[in-house]
Amino acid sequence: HSRIATRLGNLLEPFGVAGVEPRAIIPSSGDLGPFAPLPDLAFYVEGDPEDDEWITHPPDLAVELLSIGQSRRDVRAKVDAYIRFGVRSVWVVDLERRMVDIYEGGERRTVSGDELIESAVIPGFAVSVNTLFERRRRN
């Protein structure tokens, strides 16, 4: 979980500012009860919001890492809350199936294997799902 979040954050870093388990606050939603979801990774194209803007400034991208046993219904409720808050792109990374659902522009697409994770929100960024999941060895 943390290895994939860190890897994705490192891959995104040249394109803006990525925060793993950020303190960005997403307002609570009826589907989530009183709980406010916190993305596993938030990405800002133009840089971090100011200290007093965390509650009002949505990230450009929110990433959820689907943990083993986590229900897709719960994750979908988070995706909907992020989109209502103004997040322009939401990626749900399925760690078991090694697939990524990309929610953007009112549509969902799923990529896997050698297909690219890319977004109109982050021009120039593209990485294959296989690259995201590959294990790196130290020499």
Side-chain angles (χ1 to χ4, degrees), residues 52-103:
D52 61 347
E53 292 181 320
W54 285 105
I55 295 177
T56 60
H57 187 149
D60 297 296
L61 164 68
V63 177
E64 275 296 319
L65 301 174
L66 186 62
S67 300
I68 295 170
Q70 187 175 17
S71 86
R72 286 203 163 271
R73 182 174 179 260
D74 290 343
V75 171
R76 183 56 205 230
K78 287 183 176 184
V79 168
D80 291 344
Y82 297 150
I83 291 169
R84 278 193 302 273
F85 183 51
V87 176
R88 299 186 302 153
S89 187
V90 180
W91 300 350
V92 177
V93 179
D94 188 324
L95 301 174
E96 262 188 296
R97 294 187 178 115
R98 295 185 172 219
M99 298 176 1
V100 179
D101 290 331
I102 300 169
Y103 296 84

mmCIF file of all heavy atoms in Angstrom, residues 52-103:
data_model
loop_
_atom_site.group_PDB
_atom_site.id
_atom_site.type_symbol
_atom_site.label_atom_id
_atom_site.label_comp_id
_atom_site.label_asym_id
_atom_site.label_seq_id
_atom_site.Cartn_x
_atom_site.Cartn_y
_atom_site.Cartn_z
ATOM 1 N N ASP A 52 -4.342 27.925 5.222
ATOM 2 C CA ASP A 52 -5.753 28.138 5.536
ATOM 3 C C ASP A 52 -6.693 27.720 4.396
ATOM 4 O O ASP A 52 -7.882 27.940 4.451
ATOM 5 C CB ASP A 52 -5.997 29.597 5.905
ATOM 6 C CG ASP A 52 -5.659 30.572 4.787
ATOM 7 O OD1 ASP A 52 -4.997 30.154 3.808
ATOM 8 O OD2 ASP A 52 -6.037 31.749 4.896
ATOM 9 N N GLU A 53 -6.153 27.086 3.335
ATOM 10 C CA GLU A 53 -6.963 26.696 2.183
ATOM 11 C C GLU A 53 -7.236 25.196 2.083
ATOM 12 O O GLU A 53 -7.906 24.752 1.148
ATOM 13 C CB GLU A 53 -6.268 27.111 0.879
ATOM 14 C CG GLU A 53 -6.183 28.589 0.646
ATOM 15 C CD GLU A 53 -5.505 28.897 -0.676
ATOM 16 O OE1 GLU A 53 -4.512 28.233 -1.039
ATOM 17 O OE2 GLU A 53 -5.994 29.820 -1.352
ATOM 18 N N TRP A 54 -6.718 24.386 3.005
ATOM 19 C CA TRP A 54 -6.843 22.936 2.876
ATOM 20 C C TRP A 54 -8.287 22.472 2.790
ATOM 21 O O TRP A 54 -8.590 21.487 2.140
ATOM 22 C CB TRP A 54 -6.140 22.225 4.028
ATOM 23 C CG TRP A 54 -4.665 22.240 3.867
ATOM 24 C CD1 TRP A 54 -3.788 23.020 4.562
ATOM 25 C CD2 TRP A 54 -3.874 21.486 2.955
ATOM 26 N NE1 TRP A 54 -2.499 22.783 4.130
ATOM 27 C CE2 TRP A 54 -2.531 21.838 3.144
ATOM 28 C CE3 TRP A 54 -4.166 20.532 1.981
ATOM 29 C CZ2 TRP A 54 -1.493 21.284 2.412
ATOM 30 C CZ3 TRP A 54 -3.139 19.976 1.258
ATOM 31 C CH2 TRP A 54 -1.823 20.346 1.476
ATOM 32 N N ILE A 55 -9.199 23.157 3.440
ATOM 33 C CA ILE A 55 -10.594 22.719 3.428
ATOM 34 C C ILE A 55 -11.330 23.223 2.194
ATOM 35 O O ILE A 55 -12.317 22.657 1.781
ATOM 36 C CB ILE A 55 -11.312 23.168 4.721
ATOM 37 C CG1 ILE A 55 -10.678 22.455 5.903
ATOM 38 C CG2 ILE A 55 -12.798 22.893 4.682
ATOM 39 C CD1 ILE A 55 -11.219 22.836 7.245
ATOM 40 N N THR A 56 -10.833 24.283 1.568
ATOM 41 C CA THR A 56 -11.553 24.879 0.447
ATOM 42 C C THR A 56 -10.902 24.648 -0.905
ATOM 43 O O THR A 56 -11.506 24.929 -1.927
ATOM 44 C CB THR A 56 -11.674 26.404 0.661
ATOM 45 O OG1 THR A 56 -10.354 26.967 0.749
ATOM 46 C CG2 THR A 56 -12.449 26.724 1.915
ATOM 47 N N HIS A 57 -9.695 24.132 -0.956
ATOM 48 C CA HIS A 57 -8.945 23.971 -2.201
ATOM 49 C C HIS A 57 -8.781 22.483 -2.533
ATOM 50 O O HIS A 57 -7.912 21.823 -1.986
ATOM 51 C CB HIS A 57 -7.574 24.626 -2.040
ATOM 52 C CG HIS A 57 -6.774 24.682 -3.289
ATOM 53 N ND1 HIS A 57 -5.886 25.679 -3.537
ATOM 54 C CD2 HIS A 57 -6.698 23.871 -4.364
ATOM 55 C CE1 HIS A 57 -5.303 25.474 -4.698
ATOM 56 N NE2 HIS A 57 -5.783 24.376 -5.218
ATOM 57 N N PRO A 58 -9.623 21.964 -3.430
ATOM 58 C CA PRO A 58 -9.508 20.532 -3.742
ATOM 59 C C PRO A 58 -8.228 20.237 -4.519
ATOM 60 O O PRO A 58 -7.764 21.077 -5.296
ATOM 61 C CB PRO A 58 -10.740 20.252 -4.602
ATOM 62 C CG PRO A 58 -11.120 21.572 -5.178
ATOM 63 C CD PRO A 58 -10.688 22.614 -4.184
ATOM 64 N N PRO A 59 -7.665 19.062 -4.338
ATOM 65 C CA PRO A 59 -6.531 18.674 -5.168
ATOM 66 C C PRO A 59 -6.998 18.475 -6.613
ATOM 67 O O PRO A 59 -8.184 18.263 -6.871
ATOM 68 C CB PRO A 59 -6.062 17.357 -4.545
ATOM 69 C CG PRO A 59 -7.208 16.839 -3.764
ATOM 70 C CD PRO A 59 -8.044 18.015 -3.377
ATOM 71 N N ASP A 60 -6.071 18.558 -7.557
ATOM 72 C CA ASP A 60 -6.405 18.284 -8.957
ATOM 73 C C ASP A 60 -6.639 16.792 -9.168
ATOM 74 O O ASP A 60 -7.422 16.396 -10.027
ATOM 75 C CB ASP A 60 -5.272 18.772 -9.867
ATOM 76 C CG ASP A 60 -5.107 20.277 -9.771
ATOM 77 O OD1 ASP A 60 -6.048 21.001 -10.160
ATOM 78 O OD2 ASP A 60 -4.054 20.737 -9.280
ATOM 79 N N LEU A 61 -5.938 15.972 -8.371
ATOM 80 C CA LEU A 61 -6.046 14.523 -8.460
ATOM 81 C C LEU A 61 -6.100 13.946 -7.053
ATOM 82 O O LEU A 61 -5.317 14.347 -6.192
ATOM 83 C CB LEU A 61 -4.812 13.951 -9.194
ATOM 84 C CG LEU A 61 -4.553 12.456 -9.066
ATOM 85 C CD1 LEU A 61 -5.629 11.650 -9.789
ATOM 86 C CD2 LEU A 61 -3.164 12.114 -9.608
ATOM 87 N N ALA A 62 -7.015 13.017 -6.830
ATOM 88 C CA ALA A 62 -7.057 12.254 -5.581
ATOM 89 C C ALA A 62 -6.896 10.789 -5.945
ATOM 90 O O ALA A 62 -7.506 10.307 -6.911
ATOM 91 C CB ALA A 62 -8.376 12.473 -4.844
ATOM 92 N N VAL A 63 -6.052 10.080 -5.194
ATOM 93 C CA VAL A 63 -5.800 8.665 -5.456
ATOM 94 C C VAL A 63 -6.229 7.858 -4.236
ATOM 95 O O VAL A 63 -5.855 8.179 -3.110
ATOM 96 C CB VAL A 63 -4.303 8.405 -5.750
ATOM 97 C CG1 VAL A 63 -4.049 6.912 -5.954
ATOM 98 C CG2 VAL A 63 -3.842 9.215 -6.956
ATOM 99 N N GLU A 64 -7.017 6.833 -4.491
ATOM 100 C CA GLU A 64 -7.420 5.867 -3.471
ATOM 101 C C GLU A 64 -6.763 4.539 -3.803
ATOM 102 O O GLU A 64 -6.841 4.078 -4.946
ATOM 103 C CB GLU A 64 -8.935 5.668 -3.469
ATOM 104 C CG GLU A 64 -9.703 6.652 -2.660
ATOM 105 C CD GLU A 64 -9.401 6.592 -1.181
ATOM 106 O OE1 GLU A 64 -9.262 5.493 -0.611
ATOM 107 O OE2 GLU A 64 -9.312 7.660 -0.579
ATOM 108 N N LEU A 65 -6.129 3.937 -2.836
ATOM 109 C CA LEU A 65 -5.565 2.602 -3.002
ATOM 110 C C LEU A 65 -6.533 1.617 -2.373
ATOM 111 O O LEU A 65 -6.769 1.664 -1.162
ATOM 112 C CB LEU A 65 -4.191 2.518 -2.348
ATOM 113 C CG LEU A 65 -3.165 3.503 -2.907
ATOM 114 C CD1 LEU A 65 -1.884 3.448 -2.104
ATOM 115 C CD2 LEU A 65 -2.886 3.245 -4.362
ATOM 116 N N LEU A 66 -7.121 0.779 -3.201
ATOM 117 C CA LEU A 66 -8.116 -0.182 -2.745
ATOM 118 C C LEU A 66 -7.411 -1.276 -1.958
ATOM 119 O O LEU A 66 -6.640 -2.055 -2.506
ATOM 120 C CB LEU A 66 -8.859 -0.772 -3.946
ATOM 121 C CG LEU A 66 -10.021 -1.693 -3.683
ATOM 122 C CD1 LEU A 66 -11.131 -0.972 -2.932
ATOM 123 C CD2 LEU A 66 -10.550 -2.250 -4.991
ATOM 124 N N SER A 67 -7.662 -1.298 -0.672
ATOM 125 C CA SER A 67 -7.042 -2.298 0.196
ATOM 126 C C SER A 67 -7.800 -3.608 0.122
ATOM 127 O O SER A 67 -8.992 -3.639 -0.199
ATOM 128 C CB SER A 67 -7.037 -1.804 1.647
ATOM 129 O OG SER A 67 -6.322 -0.601 1.748
ATOM 130 N N ILE A 68 -7.121 -4.693 0.437
ATOM 131 C CA ILE A 68 -7.756 -6.000 0.462
ATOM 132 C C ILE A 68 -8.902 -5.961 1.477
ATOM 133 O O ILE A 68 -8.726 -5.502 2.603
ATOM 134 C CB ILE A 68 -6.726 -7.093 0.814
ATOM 135 C CG1 ILE A 68 -5.681 -7.172 -0.297
ATOM 136 C CG2 ILE A 68 -7.394 -8.433 1.054
ATOM 137 C CD1 ILE A 68 -4.488 -8.031 0.021
ATOM 138 N N GLY A 69 -10.064 -6.393 1.060
ATOM 139 C CA GLY A 69 -11.220 -6.413 1.936
ATOM 140 C C GLY A 69 -12.038 -5.126 1.930
ATOM 141 O O GLY A 69 -13.143 -5.098 2.454
ATOM 142 N N GLN A 70 -11.521 -4.061 1.333
ATOM 143 C CA GLN A 70 -12.263 -2.803 1.273
ATOM 144 C C GLN A 70 -13.344 -2.934 0.204
ATOM 145 O O GLN A 70 -13.066 -3.395 -0.905
ATOM 146 C CB GLN A 70 -11.314 -1.651 0.940
ATOM 147 C CG GLN A 70 -11.945 -0.292 1.027
ATOM 148 C CD GLN A 70 -10.912 0.813 0.801
ATOM 149 O OE1 GLN A 70 -9.825 0.563 0.291
ATOM 150 N NE2 GLN A 70 -11.256 2.013 1.193
ATOM 151 N N SER A 71 -14.552 -2.529 0.519
ATOM 152 C CA SER A 71 -15.643 -2.714 -0.432
ATOM 153 C C SER A 71 -15.594 -1.659 -1.527
ATOM 154 O O SER A 71 -15.259 -0.500 -1.283
ATOM 155 C CB SER A 71 -16.998 -2.681 0.276
ATOM 156 O OG SER A 71 -17.471 -1.364 0.411
ATOM 157 N N ARG A 72 -15.932 -2.091 -2.727
ATOM 158 C CA ARG A 72 -15.977 -1.168 -3.864
ATOM 159 C C ARG A 72 -17.061 -0.109 -3.638
ATOM 160 O O ARG A 72 -16.930 1.012 -4.096
ATOM 161 C CB ARG A 72 -16.221 -1.933 -5.153
ATOM 162 C CG ARG A 72 -14.988 -2.688 -5.601
ATOM 163 C CD ARG A 72 -15.045 -2.950 -7.097
ATOM 164 N NE ARG A 72 -13.737 -3.305 -7.588
ATOM 165 C CZ ARG A 72 -12.830 -2.443 -8.030
ATOM 166 N NH1 ARG A 72 -13.084 -1.164 -8.023
ATOM 167 N NH2 ARG A 72 -11.673 -2.846 -8.485
ATOM 168 N N ARG A 73 -18.117 -0.467 -2.934
ATOM 169 C CA ARG A 73 -19.195 0.497 -2.643
ATOM 170 C C ARG A 73 -18.660 1.651 -1.800
ATOM 171 O O ARG A 73 -18.951 2.817 -2.063
ATOM 172 C CB ARG A 73 -20.339 -0.214 -1.928
ATOM 173 C CG ARG A 73 -21.506 0.683 -1.635
ATOM 174 C CD ARG A 73 -22.675 -0.138 -1.056
ATOM 175 N NE ARG A 73 -23.774 0.734 -0.753
ATOM 176 C CZ ARG A 73 -24.047 1.179 0.472
ATOM 177 N NH1 ARG A 73 -23.327 0.798 1.499
ATOM 178 N NH2 ARG A 73 -25.072 1.966 0.677
ATOM 179 N N ASP A 74 -17.861 1.330 -0.776
ATOM 180 C CA ASP A 74 -17.273 2.368 0.074
ATOM 181 C C ASP A 74 -16.330 3.256 -0.716
ATOM 182 O O ASP A 74 -16.319 4.474 -0.552
ATOM 183 C CB ASP A 74 -16.525 1.748 1.257
ATOM 184 C CG ASP A 74 -17.459 1.103 2.273
ATOM 185 O OD1 ASP A 74 -18.684 1.400 2.242
ATOM 186 O OD2 ASP A 74 -16.966 0.297 3.084
ATOM 187 N N VAL A 75 -15.530 2.645 -1.581
ATOM 188 C CA VAL A 75 -14.589 3.421 -2.392
ATOM 189 C C VAL A 75 -15.349 4.311 -3.365
ATOM 190 O O VAL A 75 -14.997 5.461 -3.565
ATOM 191 C CB VAL A 75 -13.593 2.498 -3.129
ATOM 192 C CG1 VAL A 75 -12.774 3.270 -4.138
ATOM 193 C CG2 VAL A 75 -12.684 1.817 -2.122
ATOM 194 N N ARG A 76 -16.418 3.781 -3.951
ATOM 195 C CA ARG A 76 -17.203 4.588 -4.890
ATOM 196 C C ARG A 76 -17.823 5.794 -4.183
ATOM 197 O O ARG A 76 -17.921 6.879 -4.749
ATOM 198 C CB ARG A 76 -18.279 3.721 -5.561
ATOM 199 C CG ARG A 76 -19.086 4.462 -6.603
ATOM 200 C CD ARG A 76 -18.173 5.068 -7.668
ATOM 201 N NE ARG A 76 -18.791 6.211 -8.296
ATOM 202 C CZ ARG A 76 -18.882 6.379 -9.586
ATOM 203 N NH1 ARG A 76 -18.398 5.490 -10.420
ATOM 204 N NH2 ARG A 76 -19.456 7.456 -10.061
ATOM 205 N N ALA A 77 -18.240 5.626 -2.929
ATOM 206 C CA ALA A 77 -18.771 6.758 -2.153
ATOM 207 C C ALA A 77 -17.686 7.823 -1.975
ATOM 208 O O ALA A 77 -17.962 9.030 -2.060
ATOM 209 C CB ALA A 77 -19.295 6.280 -0.804
ATOM 210 N N LYS A 78 -16.436 7.400 -1.746
ATOM 211 C CA LYS A 78 -15.337 8.359 -1.633
ATOM 212 C C LYS A 78 -15.088 9.064 -2.960
ATOM 213 O O LYS A 78 -14.902 10.281 -3.001
ATOM 214 C CB LYS A 78 -14.051 7.655 -1.188
ATOM 215 C CG LYS A 78 -14.026 7.223 0.248
ATOM 216 C CD LYS A 78 -12.665 6.608 0.558
ATOM 217 C CE LYS A 78 -12.518 6.240 2.005
ATOM 218 N NZ LYS A 78 -11.154 5.740 2.282
ATOM 219 N N VAL A 79 -15.095 8.305 -4.040
ATOM 220 C CA VAL A 79 -14.897 8.894 -5.373
ATOM 221 C C VAL A 79 -15.943 9.972 -5.619
ATOM 222 O O VAL A 79 -15.633 11.087 -6.049
ATOM 223 C CB VAL A 79 -14.948 7.809 -6.475
ATOM 224 C CG1 VAL A 79 -15.034 8.439 -7.863
ATOM 225 C CG2 VAL A 79 -13.746 6.887 -6.381
ATOM 226 N N ASP A 80 -17.198 9.656 -5.338
ATOM 227 C CA ASP A 80 -18.280 10.622 -5.535
ATOM 228 C C ASP A 80 -18.080 11.866 -4.674
ATOM 229 O O ASP A 80 -18.308 12.985 -5.131
ATOM 230 C CB ASP A 80 -19.633 9.984 -5.226
ATOM 231 C CG ASP A 80 -20.028 8.929 -6.253
ATOM 232 O OD1 ASP A 80 -19.433 8.888 -7.353
ATOM 233 O OD2 ASP A 80 -20.922 8.114 -5.932
ATOM 234 N N ALA A 81 -17.614 11.690 -3.432
ATOM 235 C CA ALA A 81 -17.359 12.837 -2.549
ATOM 236 C C ALA A 81 -16.227 13.699 -3.104
ATOM 237 O O ALA A 81 -16.314 14.929 -3.087
ATOM 238 C CB ALA A 81 -17.024 12.351 -1.137
ATOM 239 N N TYR A 82 -15.187 13.082 -3.601
ATOM 240 C CA TYR A 82 -14.068 13.843 -4.181
ATOM 241 C C TYR A 82 -14.545 14.659 -5.374
ATOM 242 O O TYR A 82 -14.224 15.852 -5.502
ATOM 243 C CB TYR A 82 -12.935 12.916 -4.631
ATOM 244 C CG TYR A 82 -12.276 12.120 -3.534
ATOM 245 C CD1 TYR A 82 -11.733 10.874 -3.792
ATOM 246 C CD2 TYR A 82 -12.182 12.595 -2.229
ATOM 247 C CE1 TYR A 82 -11.114 10.122 -2.808
ATOM 248 C CE2 TYR A 82 -11.574 11.849 -1.236
ATOM 249 C CZ TYR A 82 -11.041 10.625 -1.526
ATOM 250 O OH TYR A 82 -10.433 9.885 -0.546
ATOM 251 N N ILE A 83 -15.314 14.037 -6.245
ATOM 252 C CA ILE A 83 -15.787 14.728 -7.446
ATOM 253 C C ILE A 83 -16.711 15.888 -7.075
ATOM 254 O O ILE A 83 -16.602 16.992 -7.628
ATOM 255 C CB ILE A 83 -16.459 13.725 -8.407
ATOM 256 C CG1 ILE A 83 -15.378 12.789 -8.978
ATOM 257 C CG2 ILE A 83 -17.213 14.445 -9.516
ATOM 258 C CD1 ILE A 83 -15.916 11.586 -9.722
ATOM 259 N N ARG A 84 -17.612 15.668 -6.106
ATOM 260 C CA ARG A 84 -18.501 16.757 -5.653
ATOM 261 C C ARG A 84 -17.704 17.915 -5.078
ATOM 262 O O ARG A 84 -18.098 19.073 -5.192
ATOM 263 C CB ARG A 84 -19.502 16.244 -4.619
ATOM 264 C CG ARG A 84 -20.705 15.565 -5.230
ATOM 265 C CD ARG A 84 -21.812 15.352 -4.207
ATOM 266 N NE ARG A 84 -21.403 14.566 -3.068
ATOM 267 C CZ ARG A 84 -21.442 13.240 -2.997
ATOM 268 N NH1 ARG A 84 -21.869 12.543 -4.026
ATOM 269 N NH2 ARG A 84 -21.059 12.603 -1.922
ATOM 270 N N PHE A 85 -16.576 17.628 -4.442
ATOM 271 C CA PHE A 85 -15.728 18.660 -3.840
ATOM 272 C C PHE A 85 -14.970 19.461 -4.900
ATOM 273 O O PHE A 85 -14.499 20.544 -4.639
ATOM 274 C CB PHE A 85 -14.758 18.009 -2.855
ATOM 275 C CG PHE A 85 -13.876 18.966 -2.110
ATOM 276 C CD1 PHE A 85 -14.391 20.063 -1.432
ATOM 277 C CD2 PHE A 85 -12.506 18.765 -2.068
ATOM 278 C CE1 PHE A 85 -13.564 20.934 -0.735
ATOM 279 C CE2 PHE A 85 -11.672 19.628 -1.373
ATOM 280 C CZ PHE A 85 -12.206 20.713 -0.707
ATOM 281 N N GLY A 86 -14.866 18.910 -6.117
ATOM 282 C CA GLY A 86 -14.184 19.628 -7.187
ATOM 283 C C GLY A 86 -12.885 18.993 -7.646
ATOM 284 O O GLY A 86 -12.159 19.583 -8.451
ATOM 285 N N VAL A 87 -12.583 17.790 -7.157
ATOM 286 C CA VAL A 87 -11.398 17.080 -7.626
ATOM 287 C C VAL A 87 -11.643 16.718 -9.092
ATOM 288 O O VAL A 87 -12.675 16.139 -9.430
ATOM 289 C CB VAL A 87 -11.132 15.817 -6.775
ATOM 290 C CG1 VAL A 87 -9.951 15.036 -7.329
ATOM 291 C CG2 VAL A 87 -10.892 16.201 -5.323
ATOM 292 N N ARG A 88 -10.702 17.083 -9.967
ATOM 293 C CA ARG A 88 -10.910 16.914 -11.408
ATOM 294 C C ARG A 88 -10.626 15.500 -11.909
ATOM 295 O O ARG A 88 -11.140 15.098 -12.946
ATOM 296 C CB ARG A 88 -10.068 17.923 -12.177
ATOM 297 C CG ARG A 88 -10.454 19.358 -11.820
ATOM 298 C CD ARG A 88 -9.752 20.391 -12.649
ATOM 299 N NE ARG A 88 -8.300 20.290 -12.555
ATOM 300 C CZ ARG A 88 -7.470 20.685 -13.519
ATOM 301 N NH1 ARG A 88 -7.937 21.190 -14.643
ATOM 302 N NH2 ARG A 88 -6.168 20.578 -13.350
ATOM 303 N N SER A 89 -9.805 14.753 -11.204
ATOM 304 C CA SER A 89 -9.484 13.386 -11.606
ATOM 305 C C SER A 89 -9.303 12.541 -10.351
ATOM 306 O O SER A 89 -8.663 12.991 -9.395
ATOM 307 C CB SER A 89 -8.198 13.368 -12.447
ATOM 308 O OG SER A 89 -7.942 12.087 -12.973
ATOM 309 N N VAL A 90 -9.888 11.342 -10.353
ATOM 310 C CA VAL A 90 -9.756 10.417 -9.232
ATOM 311 C C VAL A 90 -9.285 9.082 -9.794
ATOM 312 O O VAL A 90 -9.858 8.572 -10.757
ATOM 313 C CB VAL A 90 -11.094 10.223 -8.476
ATOM 314 C CG1 VAL A 90 -10.916 9.253 -7.319
ATOM 315 C CG2 VAL A 90 -11.644 11.564 -7.985
ATOM 316 N N TRP A 91 -8.223 8.542 -9.183
ATOM 317 C CA TRP A 91 -7.713 7.232 -9.586
ATOM 318 C C TRP A 91 -7.911 6.268 -8.429
ATOM 319 O O TRP A 91 -7.555 6.568 -7.292
ATOM 320 C CB TRP A 91 -6.238 7.295 -9.926
ATOM 321 C CG TRP A 91 -5.883 8.235 -11.048
ATOM 322 C CD1 TRP A 91 -6.733 8.880 -11.897
ATOM 323 C CD2 TRP A 91 -4.571 8.646 -11.420
ATOM 324 N NE1 TRP A 91 -6.033 9.656 -12.781
ATOM 325 C CE2 TRP A 91 -4.696 9.535 -12.514
ATOM 326 C CE3 TRP A 91 -3.296 8.350 -10.945
ATOM 327 C CZ2 TRP A 91 -3.601 10.122 -13.124
ATOM 328 C CZ3 TRP A 91 -2.208 8.941 -11.560
ATOM 329 C CH2 TRP A 91 -2.359 9.812 -12.647
ATOM 330 N N VAL A 92 -8.472 5.104 -8.728
ATOM 331 C CA VAL A 92 -8.612 4.040 -7.736
ATOM 332 C C VAL A 92 -7.690 2.909 -8.178
ATOM 333 O O VAL A 92 -7.885 2.312 -9.239
ATOM 334 C CB VAL A 92 -10.074 3.550 -7.616
ATOM 335 C CG1 VAL A 92 -10.151 2.383 -6.632
ATOM 336 C CG2 VAL A 92 -10.979 4.697 -7.181
ATOM 337 N N VAL A 93 -6.680 2.653 -7.364
ATOM 338 C CA VAL A 93 -5.684 1.639 -7.678
ATOM 339 C C VAL A 93 -6.067 0.355 -6.950
ATOM 340 O O VAL A 93 -6.111 0.324 -5.721
ATOM 341 C CB VAL A 93 -4.269 2.105 -7.250
ATOM 342 C CG1 VAL A 93 -3.235 1.032 -7.568
ATOM 343 C CG2 VAL A 93 -3.910 3.440 -7.906
ATOM 344 N N ASP A 94 -6.374 -0.687 -7.714
ATOM 345 C CA ASP A 94 -6.730 -1.983 -7.153
ATOM 346 C C ASP A 94 -5.449 -2.788 -6.989
ATOM 347 O O ASP A 94 -4.862 -3.262 -7.972
ATOM 348 C CB ASP A 94 -7.717 -2.691 -8.086
ATOM 349 C CG ASP A 94 -8.284 -3.957 -7.486
ATOM 350 O OD1 ASP A 94 -7.545 -4.674 -6.769
ATOM 351 O OD2 ASP A 94 -9.467 -4.241 -7.736
ATOM 352 N N LEU A 95 -5.005 -2.925 -5.747
ATOM 353 C CA LEU A 95 -3.731 -3.580 -5.459
ATOM 354 C C LEU A 95 -3.769 -5.080 -5.757
ATOM 355 O O LEU A 95 -2.750 -5.654 -6.147
ATOM 356 C CB LEU A 95 -3.340 -3.342 -4.000
ATOM 357 C CG LEU A 95 -3.180 -1.871 -3.596
ATOM 358 C CD1 LEU A 95 -2.950 -1.756 -2.103
ATOM 359 C CD2 LEU A 95 -2.055 -1.217 -4.370
ATOM 360 N N GLU A 96 -4.918 -5.708 -5.576
ATOM 361 C CA GLU A 96 -5.039 -7.151 -5.826
ATOM 362 C C GLU A 96 -5.066 -7.469 -7.317
ATOM 363 O O GLU A 96 -4.369 -8.362 -7.779
ATOM 364 C CB GLU A 96 -6.313 -7.697 -5.185
ATOM 365 C CG GLU A 96 -6.098 -8.348 -3.846
ATOM 366 C CD GLU A 96 -7.369 -9.026 -3.385
ATOM 367 O OE1 GLU A 96 -8.376 -8.327 -3.159
ATOM 368 O OE2 GLU A 96 -7.335 -10.265 -3.249
ATOM 369 N N ARG A 97 -5.874 -6.735 -8.046
ATOM 370 C CA ARG A 97 -6.052 -7.017 -9.474
ATOM 371 C C ARG A 97 -5.040 -6.298 -10.361
ATOM 372 O O ARG A 97 -5.013 -6.529 -11.562
ATOM 373 C CB ARG A 97 -7.466 -6.634 -9.896
ATOM 374 C CG ARG A 97 -8.514 -7.503 -9.244
ATOM 375 C CD ARG A 97 -9.884 -7.194 -9.818
ATOM 376 N NE ARG A 97 -10.876 -8.055 -9.217
ATOM 377 C CZ ARG A 97 -11.862 -7.614 -8.456
ATOM 378 N NH1 ARG A 97 -12.002 -6.347 -8.212
ATOM 379 N NH2 ARG A 97 -12.722 -8.470 -7.956
ATOM 380 N N ARG A 98 -4.276 -5.382 -9.766
ATOM 381 C CA ARG A 98 -3.282 -4.586 -10.510
ATOM 382 C C ARG A 98 -3.935 -3.860 -11.678
ATOM 383 O O ARG A 98 -3.520 -3.975 -12.830
ATOM 384 C CB ARG A 98 -2.117 -5.453 -10.966
ATOM 385 C CG ARG A 98 -1.331 -5.987 -9.790
ATOM 386 C CD ARG A 98 -0.121 -6.737 -10.216
ATOM 387 N NE ARG A 98 0.681 -7.043 -9.033
ATOM 388 C CZ ARG A 98 1.996 -7.008 -8.995
ATOM 389 N NH1 ARG A 98 2.678 -6.688 -10.058
ATOM 390 N NH2 ARG A 98 2.629 -7.288 -7.894
ATOM 391 N N MET A 99 -4.979 -3.108 -11.327
ATOM 392 C CA MET A 99 -5.719 -2.310 -12.297
ATOM 393 C C MET A 99 -5.943 -0.933 -11.694
ATOM 394 O O MET A 99 -5.897 -0.759 -10.473
ATOM 395 C CB MET A 99 -7.079 -2.953 -12.601
ATOM 396 C CG MET A 99 -6.973 -4.315 -13.202
ATOM 397 S SD MET A 99 -8.543 -5.207 -13.506
ATOM 398 C CE MET A 99 -9.825 -4.158 -13.024
ATOM 399 N N VAL A 100 -6.204 0.053 -12.559
ATOM 400 C CA VAL A 100 -6.482 1.406 -12.098
ATOM 401 C C VAL A 100 -7.749 1.894 -12.786
ATOM 402 O O VAL A 100 -7.849 1.860 -14.022
ATOM 403 C CB VAL A 100 -5.300 2.363 -12.411
ATOM 404 C CG1 VAL A 100 -5.625 3.781 -11.939
ATOM 405 C CG2 VAL A 100 -4.009 1.860 -11.773
ATOM 406 N N ASP A 101 -8.720 2.325 -11.981
ATOM 407 C CA ASP A 101 -9.916 2.991 -12.509
ATOM 408 C C ASP A 101 -9.644 4.480 -12.492
ATOM 409 O O ASP A 101 -9.241 5.024 -11.447
ATOM 410 C CB ASP A 101 -11.151 2.686 -11.647
ATOM 411 C CG ASP A 101 -11.623 1.258 -11.771
ATOM 412 O OD1 ASP A 101 -11.410 0.650 -12.837
ATOM 413 O OD2 ASP A 101 -12.221 0.745 -10.797
ATOM 414 N N ILE A 102 -9.878 5.137 -13.622
ATOM 415 C CA ILE A 102 -9.652 6.577 -13.741
ATOM 416 C C ILE A 102 -11.008 7.234 -13.956
ATOM 417 O O ILE A 102 -11.699 6.945 -14.943
ATOM 418 C CB ILE A 102 -8.694 6.892 -14.907
ATOM 419 C CG1 ILE A 102 -7.341 6.207 -14.656
ATOM 420 C CG2 ILE A 102 -8.542 8.399 -15.095
ATOM 421 C CD1 ILE A 102 -6.411 6.215 -15.847
ATOM 422 N N TYR A 103 -11.398 8.093 -13.017
ATOM 423 C CA TYR A 103 -12.653 8.833 -13.089
ATOM 424 C C TYR A 103 -12.309 10.259 -13.489
ATOM 425 O O TYR A 103 -11.614 10.969 -12.757
ATOM 426 C CB TYR A 103 -13.370 8.842 -11.740
ATOM 427 C CG TYR A 103 -13.797 7.479 -11.260
ATOM 428 C CD1 TYR A 103 -12.914 6.649 -10.588
ATOM 429 C CD2 TYR A 103 -15.101 7.026 -11.487
ATOM 430 C CE1 TYR A 103 -13.310 5.386 -10.148
ATOM 431 C CE2 TYR A 103 -15.503 5.768 -11.047
ATOM 432 C CZ TYR A 103 -14.596 4.961 -10.374
ATOM 433 O OH TYR A 103 -14.990 3.732 -9.948
#
